Coordinates of all heavy atoms in Angstrom, one line a residue:
M4 N 12.0 -15.7 -6.2 CA 12.1 -15.2 -4.9 C 12.1 -16.4 -3.9 O 11.3 -17.3 -4.1 CB 10.8 -14.4 -4.6 CG 10.6 -14.1 -3.1 SD 9.1 -13.2 -2.8 CE 8.5 -12.5 -4.3
I5 N 13.0 -16.4 -3.0 CA 13.1 -17.5 -2.0 C 12.4 -17.1 -0.7 O 12.7 -16.0 -0.2 CB 14.6 -17.9 -1.7 CG1 15.2 -18.3 -3.0 CG2 14.7 -18.9 -0.6 CD1 16.7 -18.5 -2.9
V6 N 11.5 -17.9 -0.3 CA 10.7 -17.6 0.9 C 11.3 -18.5 2.0 O 11.4 -19.7 1.9 CB 9.2 -17.9 0.7 CG1 8.4 -17.6 2.0 CG2 8.7 -17.1 -0.4
P7 N 11.6 -17.9 3.2 CA 12.1 -18.6 4.3 C 11.1 -19.7 4.7 O 9.9 -19.5 4.6 CB 12.3 -17.6 5.4 CG 11.9 -16.3 4.9 CD 11.4 -16.5 3.5
A8 N 11.6 -20.8 5.3 CA 10.7 -21.9 5.8 C 9.8 -21.3 6.8 O 10.1 -20.6 7.7 CB 11.6 -23.0 6.4
G9 N 8.5 -21.7 6.6 CA 7.5 -21.2 7.5 C 7.0 -19.7 7.2 O 6.1 -19.2 7.9
G10 N 7.7 -19.1 6.3 CA 7.3 -17.7 5.9 C 6.3 -17.7 4.9 O 5.8 -18.7 4.3
R11 N 5.8 -16.5 4.6 CA 4.8 -16.2 3.6 C 5.4 -15.4 2.5 O 6.0 -14.4 2.8 CB 3.6 -15.6 4.2 CG 2.9 -16.4 5.2 CD 1.7 -15.6 5.8 NE 1.2 -16.4 6.9 CZ -0.1 -16.7 7.0 NH1 -1.0 -16.2 6.1 NH2 -0.6 -17.4 7.9
W12 N 5.1 -15.7 1.3 CA 5.7 -14.9 0.2 C 5.2 -13.5 0.2 O 5.9 -12.6 -0.1 CB 5.5 -15.6 -1.2 CG 4.0 -15.6 -1.6 CD1 3.1 -16.6 -1.4 CD2 3.4 -14.6 -2.3 NE1 1.9 -16.2 -1.9 CE2 2.0 -15.0 -2.5 CE3 3.7 -13.3 -2.8 CZ2 1.1 -14.2 -3.2 CZ3 2.8 -12.6 -3.5 CH2 1.5 -13.0 -3.6
S13 N 3.9 -13.4 0.6 CA 3.3 -12.0 0.6 C 4.0 -11.1 1.7 O 4.2 -9.9 1.4 CB 1.8 -12.1 0.9 OG 1.5 -12.7 2.1
Q14 N 4.4 -11.7 2.8 CA 5.1 -10.9 3.8 C 6.4 -10.5 3.3 O 6.9 -9.4 3.5 CB 5.2 -11.7 5.1 CG 6.0 -11.0 6.2 CD 6.2 -11.8 7.4 OE1 5.8 -13.0 7.5 NE2 6.7 -11.2 8.4
Q15 N 7.1 -11.4 2.6 CA 8.4 -11.1 2.0 C 8.3 -10.0 1.0 O 9.1 -9.1 0.9 CB 9.1 -12.3 1.4 CG 10.5 -12.0 1.0 CD 11.3 -13.2 0.6 OE1 10.8 -14.3 0.6 NE2 12.5 -13.0 0.1
V16 N 7.2 -10.1 0.2 CA 7.0 -9.0 -0.9 C 6.8 -7.7 -0.2 O 7.4 -6.7 -0.6 CB 5.9 -9.3 -1.8 CG1 5.5 -8.1 -2.6 CG2 6.2 -10.5 -2.7
T17 N 6.0 -7.6 0.8 CA 5.7 -6.4 1.5 C 6.9 -5.8 2.2 O 7.2 -4.6 2.1 CB 4.6 -6.6 2.6 OG1 3.4 -7.1 2.0 CG2 4.2 -5.3 3.3
E18 N 7.8 -6.7 2.7 CA 8.9 -6.2 3.4 C 10.1 -5.9 2.5 O 11.0 -5.1 2.9 CB 9.4 -7.3 4.5 CG 8.3 -7.4 5.6 CD 8.7 -8.5 6.6 OE1 9.6 -9.3 6.3 OE2 8.0 -8.6 7.6
T19 N 10.2 -6.6 1.4 CA 11.4 -6.4 0.5 C 11.1 -6.1 -0.9 O 11.9 -6.3 -1.8 CB 12.2 -7.8 0.5 OG1 11.4 -8.8 0.0 CG2 12.6 -8.2 1.9
S20 N 9.9 -5.5 -1.1 CA 9.5 -5.1 -2.5 C 10.6 -4.3 -3.2 O 11.2 -3.4 -2.6 CB 8.2 -4.3 -2.4 OG 8.0 -3.8 -3.7
R21 N 10.8 -4.7 -4.4 CA 11.8 -4.0 -5.2 C 11.1 -2.7 -5.8 O 11.8 -1.9 -6.3 CB 12.3 -4.9 -6.3 CG 13.1 -6.1 -5.8 CD 13.9 -6.7 -6.8 NE 14.9 -5.7 -7.2 CZ 15.7 -5.9 -8.2 NH1 15.7 -7.0 -8.8 NH2 16.6 -5.0 -8.5
A22 N 9.8 -2.7 -5.8 CA 9.1 -1.5 -6.3 C 9.2 -0.3 -5.3 O 9.4 0.8 -5.7 CB 7.7 -1.9 -6.6
L23 N 9.0 -0.6 -4.1 CA 9.0 0.5 -3.1 C 9.7 0.0 -1.8 O 9.6 -1.1 -1.4 CB 7.5 0.8 -2.6 CG 6.6 1.3 -3.7 CD1 5.2 1.6 -3.0 CD2 7.1 2.6 -4.3
D24 N 10.4 1.0 -1.2 CA 11.0 0.7 0.1 C 10.1 1.3 1.1 O 10.0 2.6 1.2 CB 12.4 1.4 0.2 CG 13.4 0.8 -0.7 OD1 13.4 -0.5 -0.8 OD2 14.3 1.5 -1.2
L25 N 9.3 0.5 1.7 CA 8.2 0.9 2.6 C 8.8 1.4 4.0 O 9.8 0.8 4.4 CB 7.2 -0.2 2.9 CG 6.4 -0.6 1.6 CD1 5.5 -1.8 2.0 CD2 5.6 0.5 1.0
E26 N 8.2 2.4 4.6 CA 8.6 2.8 5.9 C 8.1 1.7 6.9 O 7.0 1.1 6.7 CB 8.0 4.1 6.2 CG 8.5 5.2 5.4 CD 7.8 6.6 5.5 OE1 6.8 6.6 6.3 OE2 8.2 7.5 4.9
P27 N 8.9 1.3 7.9 CA 8.5 0.3 8.8 C 7.2 0.6 9.5 O 6.9 1.7 9.9 CB 9.7 0.3 9.8 CG 10.8 0.9 9.2 CD 10.2 1.9 8.2
G28 N 6.3 -0.4 9.5 CA 5.1 -0.3 10.2 C 4.0 0.5 9.5 O 3.0 0.9 10.1
V29 N 4.2 0.8 8.2 CA 3.2 1.7 7.5 C 1.8 1.1 7.6 O 0.9 1.9 7.8 CB 3.7 1.9 6.1 CG1 3.8 0.6 5.3 CG2 2.7 2.9 5.4
F30 N 1.7 -0.2 7.5 CA 0.3 -0.8 7.4 C -0.3 -1.0 8.8 O -1.4 -1.3 9.0 CB 0.3 -2.1 6.6 CG 0.6 -1.8 5.2 CD1 1.7 -2.4 4.6 CD2 -0.2 -1.0 4.4 CE1 2.0 -2.2 3.3 CE2 0.1 -0.8 3.1 CZ 1.2 -1.4 2.5
A31 N 0.5 -0.7 9.9 CA 0.0 -0.8 11.2 C -0.4 0.6 11.8 O -1.0 0.7 12.8 CB 1.1 -1.3 12.1
L32 N -0.1 1.7 11.0 CA -0.5 3.0 11.4 C -2.1 3.1 11.5 O -2.8 2.4 10.8 CB -0.1 4.1 10.4 CG 1.5 4.2 10.3 CD1 1.8 5.1 9.1 CD2 2.0 4.8 11.6
E33 N -2.5 3.9 12.5 CA -4.0 3.9 12.7 C -4.7 5.1 11.9 O -5.9 5.0 11.8 CB -4.2 4.1 14.2 CG -3.8 2.9 15.0 CD -4.1 3.0 16.5 OE1 -5.0 3.8 16.8 OE2 -3.5 2.2 17.2
D34 N -3.9 6.0 11.5 CA -4.5 7.2 10.8 C -4.4 6.9 9.2 O -3.3 6.8 8.7 CB -3.7 8.4 11.2 CG -4.3 9.7 10.5 OD1 -5.2 9.6 9.7 OD2 -3.7 10.8 10.8
P35 N -5.5 6.9 8.5 CA -5.5 6.6 7.1 C -4.6 7.7 6.3 O -3.9 7.3 5.4 CB -6.9 6.7 6.7 CG -7.7 6.4 7.9 CD -6.9 6.9 9.0
R36 N -4.7 8.9 6.8 CA -3.9 9.9 6.1 C -2.4 9.7 6.3 O -1.6 9.8 5.4 CB -4.2 11.3 6.6 CG -3.4 12.4 5.9 CD -4.1 13.8 6.1 NE -3.2 14.8 5.6 CZ -3.2 15.1 4.3 NH1 -3.9 14.5 3.4 NH2 -2.4 16.1 3.8
E37 N -2.0 9.2 7.5 CA -0.6 8.9 7.7 C -0.1 7.7 6.9 O 1.0 7.7 6.4 CB -0.3 8.6 9.2 CG -0.4 9.9 10.1 CD 0.6 11.0 9.6 OE1 1.8 10.6 9.3 OE2 0.2 12.1 9.6
I38 N -1.0 6.7 6.7 CA -0.7 5.6 5.8 C -0.5 6.1 4.4 O 0.5 5.8 3.7 CB -1.8 4.5 5.8 CG1 -1.9 3.9 7.2 CG2 -1.6 3.5 4.8 CD1 -3.1 3.0 7.4
A39 N -1.4 6.9 3.9 CA -1.3 7.5 2.6 C 0.0 8.3 2.4 O 0.7 8.2 1.4 CB -2.6 8.3 2.2
L40 N 0.3 9.2 3.4 CA 1.4 10.0 3.3 C 2.7 9.2 3.2 O 3.7 9.5 2.5 CB 1.5 11.0 4.4 CG 0.5 12.2 4.3 CD1 0.4 12.9 5.7 CD2 0.9 13.1 3.2
S41 N 2.8 8.1 4.0 CA 3.9 7.2 4.1 C 4.1 6.5 2.7 O 5.2 6.5 2.2 CB 3.8 6.2 5.2 OG 4.9 5.3 5.1
L42 N 3.0 6.0 2.2 CA 3.1 5.4 0.8 C 3.5 6.4 -0.2 O 4.3 6.0 -1.1 CB 1.7 4.7 0.5 CG 1.4 3.5 1.3 CD1 0.0 3.1 1.1 CD2 2.3 2.3 0.9
Q43 N 3.0 7.6 -0.1 CA 3.4 8.6 -1.1 C 4.9 8.9 -1.0 O 5.5 9.0 -2.0 CB 2.6 9.9 -0.8 CG 2.9 11.0 -1.8 CD 2.2 12.3 -1.5 OE1 2.1 12.7 -0.3 NE2 1.7 13.0 -2.5
R44 N 5.4 9.1 0.2 CA 6.8 9.3 0.4 C 7.6 8.2 -0.2 O 8.6 8.4 -1.0 CB 7.2 9.5 1.8 CG 6.8 10.8 2.4 CD 7.4 11.0 3.8 NE 6.9 10.0 4.8 CZ 5.8 10.2 5.6 NH1 5.1 11.3 5.5 NH2 5.5 9.2 6.4
S45 N 7.2 6.9 0.1 CA 7.9 5.8 -0.5 C 7.9 5.7 -2.0 O 8.9 5.5 -2.6 CB 7.3 4.5 0.1 OG 7.5 4.4 1.5
A46 N 6.7 6.0 -2.6 CA 6.6 5.9 -4.0 C 7.4 7.0 -4.7 O 8.0 6.7 -5.7 CB 5.1 6.0 -4.4
E47 N 7.4 8.2 -4.2 CA 8.1 9.3 -4.8 C 9.6 9.2 -4.6 O 10.3 9.7 -5.5 CB 7.5 10.6 -4.3 CG 6.1 10.8 -4.8 CD 5.5 12.1 -4.4 OE1 6.1 12.9 -3.7 OE2 4.3 12.3 -4.8
A48 N 10.0 8.5 -3.6 CA 11.5 8.3 -3.4 C 12.1 7.2 -4.1 O 13.3 7.1 -4.4 CB 11.8 8.1 -1.9
S49 N 11.2 6.3 -4.6 CA 11.7 5.0 -5.2 C 12.2 5.3 -6.6 O 11.6 6.1 -7.4 CB 10.5 4.0 -5.4 OG 11.0 2.9 -6.1
V50 N 13.4 4.8 -6.9 CA 14.0 4.9 -8.2 C 13.8 3.5 -9.0 O 14.2 3.4 -10.2 CB 15.5 5.2 -8.2 CG1 15.7 6.6 -7.6 CG2 16.2 4.2 -7.4
R51 N 13.2 2.6 -8.4 CA 13.0 1.2 -9.0 C 11.6 1.0 -9.4 O 11.3 0.0 -10.0 CB 13.4 0.2 -8.0 CG 14.9 0.2 -7.7 CD 15.2 -0.8 -6.6 NE 14.4 -0.5 -5.4 CZ 14.7 -1.0 -4.2 NH1 15.7 -1.8 -4.1 NH2 13.9 -0.7 -3.2
R52 N 10.6 1.9 -9.1 CA 9.2 1.6 -9.5 C 9.1 1.6 -11.0 O 9.8 2.2 -11.7 CB 8.3 2.6 -8.8 CG 8.4 4.0 -9.3 CD 7.4 4.9 -8.6 NE 7.5 6.3 -8.6 CZ 8.3 7.1 -9.3 NH1 9.2 6.7 -10.1 NH2 8.2 8.4 -9.3
K53 N 8.1 0.8 -11.4 CA 7.9 0.6 -12.8 C 6.8 1.5 -13.4 O 6.5 1.4 -14.6 CB 7.6 -0.9 -13.1 CG 8.8 -1.7 -12.7 CD 8.5 -3.2 -13.0 CE 9.7 -4.0 -12.6 NZ 9.4 -5.4 -12.4
T54 N 6.1 2.3 -12.6 CA 5.0 3.1 -13.0 C 5.0 4.4 -12.2 O 6.0 4.7 -11.5 CB 3.7 2.4 -12.9 OG1 2.6 3.1 -13.5 CG2 3.3 2.0 -11.5
D55 N 4.0 5.2 -12.4 CA 4.0 6.5 -11.7 C 3.8 6.3 -10.2 O 3.4 5.3 -9.8 CB 2.9 7.4 -12.3 CG 1.6 6.9 -12.1 OD1 1.0 7.2 -11.0 OD2 1.0 6.2 -13.0
P56 N 4.2 7.3 -9.4 CA 4.1 7.1 -7.9 C 2.7 6.8 -7.4 O 2.6 5.9 -6.5 CB 4.6 8.5 -7.4 CG 5.4 9.1 -8.5 CD 4.8 8.6 -9.8
F57 N 1.7 7.4 -8.0 CA 0.4 7.1 -7.5 C 0.0 5.6 -7.7 O -0.4 4.9 -6.8 CB -0.7 7.9 -8.2 CG -2.1 7.5 -7.9 CD1 -2.7 7.7 -6.7 CD2 -2.8 6.8 -8.9 CE1 -4.0 7.3 -6.5 CE2 -4.1 6.3 -8.6 CZ -4.7 6.6 -7.4
R58 N 0.3 5.1 -8.9 CA -0.1 3.7 -9.1 C 0.8 2.8 -8.3 O 0.3 1.7 -7.8 CB 0.1 3.4 -10.6 CG -1.0 4.0 -11.4 CD -0.9 3.5 -12.9 NE -1.9 4.2 -13.7 CZ -3.2 3.8 -13.8 NH1 -3.6 2.8 -13.1 NH2 -4.0 4.5 -14.5
S59 N 2.0 3.1 -8.1 CA 2.9 2.3 -7.2 C 2.4 2.2 -5.8 O 2.3 1.1 -5.2 CB 4.3 2.8 -7.2 OG 4.9 2.6 -8.5
A60 N 2.0 3.4 -5.3 CA 1.6 3.4 -3.9 C 0.2 2.7 -3.8 O 0.0 1.9 -2.8 CB 1.4 4.9 -3.5
M61 N -0.7 2.9 -4.7 CA -2.0 2.3 -4.6 C -1.9 0.8 -4.8 O -2.6 0.0 -4.2 CB -2.9 2.9 -5.7 CG -4.4 2.4 -5.6 SD -5.2 2.8 -4.1 CE -5.6 4.5 -4.4
S62 N -1.0 0.4 -5.7 CA -0.8 -1.0 -5.9 C -0.3 -1.7 -4.7 O -0.8 -2.8 -4.3 CB 0.3 -1.2 -7.1 OG 0.5 -2.6 -7.3
M63 N 0.6 -1.1 -3.9 CA 1.1 -1.7 -2.7 C 0.1 -1.8 -1.7 O -0.1 -2.8 -0.9 CB 2.4 -1.0 -2.2 CG 3.0 -1.6 -1.0 SD 3.6 -3.3 -1.3 CE 5.1 -3.0 -2.3
L64 N -0.8 -0.8 -1.6 CA -1.9 -0.8 -0.6 C -2.9 -1.8 -0.9 O -3.3 -2.6 -0.1 CB -2.5 0.6 -0.6 CG -3.7 0.8 0.4 CD1 -3.3 0.4 1.8 CD2 -4.1 2.3 0.4
N65 N -3.3 -1.9 -2.2 CA -4.2 -3.0 -2.6 C -3.6 -4.4 -2.4 O -4.3 -5.3 -2.0 CB -4.5 -2.8 -4.1 CG -5.6 -1.8 -4.3 OD1 -6.6 -1.7 -3.6 ND2 -5.5 -1.0 -5.3
F66 N -2.3 -4.5 -2.7 CA -1.7 -5.8 -2.5 C -1.8 -6.2 -1.0 O -2.2 -7.4 -0.7 CB -0.2 -5.7 -2.9 CG 0.6 -6.9 -2.5 CD1 0.5 -8.1 -3.3 CD2 1.4 -7.0 -1.4 CE1 1.3 -9.2 -3.0 CE2 2.1 -8.1 -1.1 CZ 2.1 -9.2 -1.9
Y67 N -1.5 -5.3 -0.1 CA -1.6 -5.6 1.3 C -3.0 -6.0 1.7 O -3.2 -7.0 2.4 CB -1.1 -4.4 2.1 CG -1.1 -4.7 3.6 CD1 -0.1 -5.4 4.2 CD2 -2.2 -4.3 4.4 CE1 -0.1 -5.8 5.5 CE2 -2.2 -4.6 5.7 CZ -1.2 -5.3 6.3 OH -1.2 -5.7 7.6
I68 N -4.0 -5.2 1.3 CA -5.4 -5.5 1.6 C -5.8 -6.9 1.1 O -6.4 -7.7 1.8 CB -6.3 -4.4 1.1 CG1 -6.1 -3.1 1.9 CG2 -7.8 -4.8 1.2 CD1 -6.7 -1.9 1.2
N69 N -5.4 -7.1 -0.2 CA -5.8 -8.4 -0.8 C -5.2 -9.6 -0.1 O -5.8 -10.6 0.1 CB -5.5 -8.4 -2.3 CG -6.4 -7.5 -3.0 OD1 -7.5 -7.1 -2.6 ND2 -6.0 -7.0 -4.2
R70 N -3.9 -9.5 0.2 CA -3.2 -10.6 0.9 C -3.7 -10.8 2.3 O -3.7 -12.0 2.8 CB -1.7 -10.4 0.8 CG -1.1 -10.3 -0.5 CD -1.5 -11.4 -1.5 NE -1.4 -12.8 -1.0 CZ -2.0 -13.8 -1.4 NH1 -2.8 -13.7 -2.5 NH2 -1.8 -15.0 -0.9
A71 N -4.0 -9.8 3.0 CA -4.5 -9.9 4.4 C -5.9 -10.6 4.4 O -6.2 -11.3 5.3 CB -4.6 -8.6 5.1
G72 N -6.7 -10.3 3.3 CA -8.0 -11.0 3.2 C -8.9 -11.0 4.4 O -9.1 -10.0 5.0
R73 N -9.3 -12.2 4.7 CA -10.3 -12.3 5.9 C -9.6 -12.1 7.2 O -10.3 -12.0 8.2 CB -10.9 -13.7 5.8 CG -11.9 -13.8 4.7 CD -12.5 -15.2 4.6 NE -11.5 -16.0 3.9 CZ -11.8 -17.2 3.5 NH1 -13.0 -17.8 3.7 NH2 -10.9 -17.9 2.8
N74 N -8.3 -12.0 7.2 CA -7.6 -11.8 8.5 C -7.7 -10.3 9.0 O -7.3 -10.0 10.1 CB -6.1 -12.2 8.4 CG -5.9 -13.7 8.2 OD1 -6.7 -14.5 8.7 ND2 -4.9 -14.0 7.4
L75 N -8.2 -9.4 8.1 CA -8.3 -8.0 8.5 C -9.7 -7.9 9.3 O -10.7 -8.4 8.8 CB -8.4 -7.1 7.3 CG -7.1 -6.8 6.6 CD1 -7.4 -5.9 5.4 CD2 -6.1 -6.1 7.5
S76 N -9.6 -7.2 10.4 CA -10.9 -6.9 11.1 C -11.6 -5.9 10.3 O -11.0 -5.1 9.4 CB -10.6 -6.3 12.5 OG -10.0 -5.0 12.3
P77 N -12.9 -5.8 10.5 CA -13.7 -4.7 9.7 C -13.1 -3.3 10.0 O -13.1 -2.5 9.0 CB -15.1 -4.9 10.3 CG -15.2 -6.3 10.8 CD -13.8 -6.6 11.3
E78 N -12.7 -3.1 11.2 CA -12.2 -1.7 11.5 C -10.8 -1.5 10.7 O -10.6 -0.4 10.2 CB -11.9 -1.6 13.0 CG -13.1 -1.7 13.8 CD -13.6 -3.1 14.1 OE1 -12.9 -4.1 13.9 OE2 -14.8 -3.2 14.5
R79 N -10.0 -2.5 10.7 CA -8.7 -2.3 10.0 C -8.9 -2.2 8.5 O -8.3 -1.4 7.8 CB -7.8 -3.6 10.3 CG -6.4 -3.4 9.9 CD -5.7 -2.4 10.9 NE -4.6 -1.8 10.2 CZ -4.3 -0.5 10.2 NH1 -5.0 0.3 11.0 NH2 -3.3 0.0 9.6
R80 N -9.8 -3.0 7.9 CA -10.2 -2.9 6.5 C -10.7 -1.5 6.2 O -10.3 -0.8 5.2 CB -11.2 -3.9 6.1 CG -11.5 -3.9 4.6 CD -12.4 -5.0 4.2 NE -11.8 -6.3 4.3 CZ -10.9 -6.8 3.4 NH1 -10.6 -6.1 2.3 NH2 -10.4 -8.0 3.6
A81 N -11.6 -0.9 7.1 CA -12.1 0.4 6.9 C -11.0 1.5 6.9 O -11.0 2.4 6.1 CB -13.2 0.7 7.9
C82 N -10.0 1.3 7.8 CA -8.9 2.2 7.9 C -8.1 2.2 6.6 O -7.7 3.2 6.0 CB -8.1 1.9 9.1 SG -6.6 2.9 9.3
L83 N -7.8 1.0 6.1 CA -7.0 0.9 4.9 C -7.8 1.3 3.6 O -7.2 1.9 2.7 CB -6.6 -0.6 4.7 CG -5.6 -1.1 5.8 CD1 -5.4 -2.6 5.7 CD2 -4.3 -0.3 5.7
E84 N -9.1 1.1 3.6 CA -9.9 1.6 2.5 C -9.9 3.2 2.6 O -9.8 3.8 1.5 CB -11.3 1.1 2.6 CG -11.4 -0.4 2.2 CD -11.0 -0.7 0.8 OE1 -11.2 0.1 -0.1 OE2 -10.6 -1.9 0.5
A85 N -10.0 3.7 3.8 CA -9.9 5.2 3.9 C -8.5 5.7 3.4 O -8.5 6.8 2.9 CB -10.2 5.6 5.3
A86 N -7.5 4.9 3.6 CA -6.2 5.3 3.2 C -6.1 5.4 1.6 O -5.4 6.3 1.1 CB -5.1 4.3 3.7
K87 N -6.9 4.5 1.0 CA -7.0 4.6 -0.5 C -7.6 6.0 -0.9 O -7.1 6.6 -1.8 CB -7.9 3.5 -1.1 CG -7.3 2.2 -1.1 CD -8.4 1.3 -1.8 CE -8.0 -0.1 -1.8 NZ -9.0 -0.9 -2.5
H88 N -8.6 6.4 -0.2 CA -9.3 7.7 -0.5 C -8.3 8.8 -0.3 O -8.2 9.8 -1.0 CB -10.6 7.9 0.3 CG -11.6 6.9 -0.1 ND1 -12.2 6.9 -1.3 CD2 -12.1 5.8 0.6 CE1 -13.1 5.9 -1.4 NE2 -13.1 5.2 -0.2
E89 N -7.5 8.7 0.8 CA -6.5 9.8 1.1 C -5.5 9.8 0.1 O -5.0 10.9 -0.3 CB -5.9 9.5 2.5 CG -6.8 9.8 3.7 CD -7.2 11.3 3.8 OE1 -6.4 12.2 3.4 OE2 -8.3 11.6 4.3
L90 N -5.0 8.6 -0.4 CA -4.0 8.6 -1.4 C -4.5 9.2 -2.7 O -3.8 10.0 -3.4 CB -3.6 7.1 -1.7 CG -2.3 6.8 -2.3 CD1 -1.2 7.5 -1.6 CD2 -2.1 5.3 -2.4
R91 N -5.8 8.9 -3.1 CA -6.4 9.6 -4.3 C -6.4 11.1 -4.1 O -6.1 11.8 -5.0 CB -7.8 9.1 -4.5 CG -7.8 7.7 -5.0 CD -9.3 7.3 -5.4 NE -9.4 5.9 -5.5 CZ -9.9 5.0 -4.6 NH1 -10.4 5.5 -3.5 NH2 -9.9 3.7 -4.8
R92 N -6.8 11.5 -2.9 CA -6.8 13.0 -2.6 C -5.4 13.6 -2.7 O -5.3 14.7 -3.3 CB -7.4 13.2 -1.2 CG -7.8 14.6 -1.0 CD -8.5 14.8 0.3 NE -9.5 13.7 0.5 CZ -10.1 13.4 1.6 NH1 -9.9 14.1 2.7 NH2 -11.0 12.5 1.6
L93 N -4.4 13.0 -2.2 CA -3.1 13.5 -2.3 C -2.6 13.7 -3.7 O -1.8 14.6 -4.0 CB -2.1 12.5 -1.5 CG -2.2 12.5 0.0 CD1 -1.4 11.4 0.6 CD2 -1.8 13.9 0.6
Y94 N -3.0 12.8 -4.6 CA -2.6 12.9 -6.0 C -3.6 13.5 -6.9 O -3.5 13.5 -8.1 CB -2.3 11.4 -6.5 CG -0.9 11.0 -6.0 CD1 -0.8 10.1 -4.9 CD2 0.2 11.4 -6.6 CE1 0.4 9.7 -4.5 CE2 1.5 11.0 -6.2 CZ 1.6 10.1 -5.1 OH 2.8 9.7 -4.7
G95 N -4.7 14.1 -6.3 CA -5.7 14.8 -7.1 C -6.5 13.9 -8.0 O -7.0 14.3 -9.0
R96 N -6.7 12.7 -7.5 CA -7.5 11.7 -8.3 C -8.7 11.3 -7.4 O -8.5 10.7 -6.3 CB -6.7 10.5 -8.6 CG -5.5 10.9 -9.5 CD -4.7 9.6 -9.9 NE -3.5 10.0 -10.6 CZ -2.9 9.2 -11.5 NH1 -3.4 8.0 -11.7 NH2 -1.8 9.5 -12.1
T97 N -9.9 11.5 -7.9 CA -11.0 11.2 -7.1 C -11.9 10.1 -7.6 O -12.8 9.6 -7.0 CB -11.9 12.5 -6.9 OG1 -12.3 12.9 -8.2 CG2 -11.2 13.5 -6.2
S98 N -11.6 9.6 -8.8 CA -12.3 8.6 -9.4 C -12.0 7.2 -8.8 O -10.8 6.9 -8.7 CB -12.1 8.5 -11.0 OG -12.8 7.5 -11.5
S99 N -13.0 6.4 -8.5 CA -12.7 5.1 -7.9 C -12.1 4.1 -8.9 O -11.6 3.1 -8.5 CB -14.0 4.5 -7.3 OG -14.9 4.3 -8.3
H100 N -12.1 4.4 -10.2 CA -11.5 3.4 -11.1 C -10.0 3.6 -11.3 O -9.3 2.9 -12.0 CB -12.2 3.5 -12.5 CG -11.8 4.8 -13.3 ND1 -12.4 6.0 -13.1 CD2 -10.9 4.9 -14.3 CE1 -11.8 6.9 -13.9 NE2 -10.9 6.2 -14.6
E101 N -9.4 4.5 -10.5 CA -8.0 4.8 -10.5 C -7.2 3.9 -9.6 O -6.1 4.2 -9.2 CB -7.7 6.2 -10.1 CG -8.3 7.2 -11.1 CD -7.5 7.5 -12.3 OE1 -6.4 6.9 -12.4 OE2 -7.8 8.3 -13.2
D102 N -7.8 2.8 -9.1 CA -7.1 2.0 -8.1 C -5.8 1.3 -8.5 O -5.1 0.8 -7.7 CB -8.1 0.8 -7.6 CG -9.2 1.4 -6.7 OD1 -9.2 2.6 -6.5 OD2 -9.9 0.6 -6.2
G103 N -5.6 1.2 -9.7 CA -4.3 0.7 -10.2 C -4.2 -0.8 -10.2 O -4.9 -1.6 -9.9

């Protein structure tokens, strides 16, 4: 993968992932359920993902949270963590070890 000068590889992965075609602004949404629904739509529509839709969606969400790291405000992190719970609920998975 070629990263533009001054760019970040994680931003490029998020924007051009071959696993999922993300809806624009998905990680900027304020409602955890809307984030989860968007990731679900992207995962289920993808023909390039390498695993089941739940794992693909959860993996992308975890990737974003991990790459943002300390740059996430506590409120934003809480919203994204809540989106994980919503994603589990959407797929009928309630165990925390299902993070992918």
Side-chain angles (χ1 to χ4, degrees):
M4 164 182 351
I5 298 172
V6 178
R11 295 176 185 231
W12 69 267
S13 57
Q14 179 180 4
Q15 185 171 358
V16 168
T17 302
E18 293 173 352
T19 64
S20 170
R21 296 196 64 188
L23 297 181
D24 291 325
L25 297 176
E26 295 173 357
V29 61
F30 296 116
L32 295 170
E33 294 184 19
D34 181 0
R36 182 164 175 79
E37 289 302 317
I38 295 169
L40 286 167
S41 177
L42 288 169
Q43 181 185 42
R44 284 190 297 270
S45 294
E47 291 181 1
S49 176
V50 295
R51 297 175 301 197
R52 66 179 169 4
K53 295 178 182 163
T54 187
D55 64 87
F57 170 75
R58 288 190 184 277
S59 291
M61 186 63 77
S62 177
M63 188 57 76
L64 182 53
N65 279 319
F66 173 80
Y67 182 81
I68 292 169
N69 290 339
R70 295 315 307 162
R73 288 177 278 193
N74 295 326
L75 282 178
S76 69
E78 296 81 15
R79 193 73 205 135
R80 182 175 294 278
C82 178
L83 295 170
E84 290 294 334
K87 285 184 184 181
H88 295 292
E89 288 294 332
L90 201 52
R91 286 187 197 102
R92 191 173 317 168
L93 288 171
Y94 283 99
R96 300 185 184 202
T97 57
S98 176
S99 63
H100 75 277
E101 297 277 359
D102 284 4

